[in-house]
Amino acid sequence: MPESGVRLARTPDVDDVAAINIRAWRQRFTDILPGEVLDSLDPGDLAMVWASGILNPPTPLHRLLVAVDAGAIVGYAAIGPSQDPDAEDSTLELLALEVDPDRQREGHGSRLMAAAVAHAEAAGMTDAATWCSVHDEARRAFLRSAGWGPDTAYRDVLVGVSPEGADVLVREARLVTALGDVEI
């Protein structure tokens, strides 16, 4: 019977994770980032980054989870302890959560969120934070429906350089929640 559900990622999964990463970003950021930035995403480079994270996680609390449906990887979530300077030691960061654009609205994002929360709670974490582009209304709505809300923190993330040589920045807002308040 084909595998379905959420599990820890394995190194053979990294090509699929990288492909989903690129497809999801090209869909979500098409109106936010210049085409050159999105076109420059290299699946091989991203696969190497994901493989490195699996083989040599930055901390013992870092995890890469994959959503699998009928044996195919359809999404992923990355978690780790928050690196924000104002974060408590018990704060998880949802570093990434992406679902293949062709497989969205099938519950995979909610299953990934539930698995991320379960891993965090098992590690003794009590709170969570994530960063979301201020222009990404769909992601913010998904997070808010799951019990996340904005605090007052914002940051600008360098995502590339324009053809004219100017930095391309994305403004992000931090959303937070108590893990026990996440509604999935």
Side-chain angles (χ1 to χ4, degrees), residues 1-4 68-71:
M1 175 170 233
E3 178 182 8
S4 294
V68 181
D69 188 35

Side-chain angles (χ1 to χ4, degrees), residues 1 7 9 16 26 41-42 54 57 64 85 100 123 128-129 134 141 162 170 175 178:
M1 175 170 233
R7 63 169 170 75
D16 293 329
R26 286 182 176 158
L41 297 172
D42 182 293
I54 291 169
L64 178 61
D100 189 305
V134 297
S162 74
V170 171
L175 285 81

Side-chain angles (χ1 to χ4, degrees), residues 83-173:
Q83 298 301 302
D84 293 339
D86 60 343
E88 301 291 328
D89 290 342
S90 60
T91 302
L92 162 87
E93 184 169 346
L94 179 63
L95 301 163
L97 193 153
E98 301 290 351
V99 175
D100 189 305
D102 294 336
R103 302 300 307 271
Q104 291 177 354
R105 304 216 178 273
E106 297 177 9
H108 303 297
S110 295
R111 282 188 283 284
L112 284 163
M113 176 81 70
V117 167
H119 277 274
E121 288 177 329
M125 305 300 237
T126 58
D127 299 293
T130 193
W131 292 92
C132 179
S133 166
V134 297
H135 301 289
D136 194 345
E137 294 175 22
R139 176 166 300 253
R140 196 167 49 254
F142 169 74
L143 290 165
R144 290 191 66 128
S145 73
W148 299 68
D151 64 4
T152 59
Y154 288 87
R155 69 182 183 185
D156 292 317
V157 178
L158 177 66
V159 294
V161 178
S162 74
E164 298 80 29
D167 289 346
V168 178
L169 302 172
V170 171
R171 165 85 23 129
E172 294 181 329

Side-chain angles (χ1 to χ4, degrees), residues 10-23:
R10 303 183 283 247
T11 52
D13 300 331
V14 298
D15 290 329
D16 293 329
V17 169
I20 291 168
N21 192 167
I22 290 173
R23 283 194 302 274

